[in-house]
Amino acid sequence: MILKSISLVTGLVTLDVYLQSQLSSNGPLFYLVSDNTIINILMILLAAAGVLVTFRGRFKSWYGYMACLSLGAIMILMGLAGVFFDSLIYSFWSVFSPLNYALLLEYGIIFSICSLAFKHAKRPKDVRLALSPAYLLLRLKLALPVPKIPHFPPLSRRETASGTN
């Protein structure tokens, strides 16, 4: 219930910020929000997708689950990079503003929590996890060095120094 309310409030705030920016774009709040219309529409679509995923409650396919988890991870990384490394990000790509990065971080958290908390279908057998270490070891057929351990015969068969058992 808490996740649903968080995603709903985030979606309403995103929609409100967009509508307020269209009515009066010279307010002090709008120095923190991007004035690019495409970015604002994409943020509204992300908010709608977050609300949709949250209220659905489960994933019908494994591919939808992985898409949601991957999107959440990417948005968390983008949001953290934009919030903490602002001078580097703003000089490199100035399309987003600080509030856009904060909202990206929040949407990423919502998508990731939904991915981890909701039920989903099992992974299909034909899908291989190409980045897993076990798959890479099997694919590359790496031989790991095994130390030689001296192996002694059992004590009952060991010969003594005199040559008798």
Side-chain angles (χ1 to χ4, degrees):
M1 187 67 186
I2 292 174
L3 188 60
K4 290 179 183 180
S5 62
I6 289 173
S7 68
L8 191 60
V9 166
T10 305
L12 291 175
V13 165
T14 303
L15 186 62
D16 182 51
V17 166
Y18 173 70
L19 292 176
Q20 290 293 329
S21 70
Q22 295 300 315
L23 294 175
S24 62
S25 62
N26 54 359
L29 171 69
F30 303 109
Y31 291 121
L32 301 175
V33 179
S34 177
D35 58 352
N36 192 342
T37 307
I38 295 172
I39 296 298
N40 288 330
I41 290 173
L42 286 176
M43 296 300 276
I44 290 172
L45 289 175
L46 274 175
V51 171
L52 179 74
V53 166
T54 305
F55 277 90
R56 183 168 289 174
R58 65 182 296 265
F59 294 101
K60 293 181 181 176
S61 72
W62 184 82
Y63 297 106
Y65 158 74
M66 277 313 283
C68 186
L69 186 64
S70 302
L71 186 64
I74 289 169
M75 285 193 295
I76 286 175
L77 290 176
M78 283 179 61
L80 285 175
V83 169
F84 289 115
F85 304 110
D86 57 352
S87 62
L88 176 69
I89 297 295
Y90 294 147
S91 64
F92 178 67
W93 192 29
S94 62
V95 176
F96 289 115
S97 294
L99 188 60
N100 293 116
Y101 285 115
L103 287 174
L104 273 177
L105 181 62
E106 191 167 353
Y107 298 144
I109 290 171
I110 288 171
F111 282 130
S112 298
I113 289 175
C114 288
S115 298
L116 296 175
F118 294 164
K119 293 182 181 182
H120 58 85
K122 291 184 179 182
R123 179 177 59 93
K125 298 232 185 243
D126 59 344
V127 175
R128 294 185 182 177
L129 301 176
L131 297 179
S132 68
Y135 178 73
L136 288 176
L137 285 175
L138 290 174
R139 186 75 178 149
L140 297 175
K141 296 181 180 164
L142 295 176
L144 299 175
V146 178
K148 296 278 184 176
I149 300 174
H151 183 75
F152 297 109
L155 291 175
S156 63
R157 297 184 149 211
R158 190 179 291 176
E159 294 183 11
T160 61
S162 64
T164 61
N165 286 343

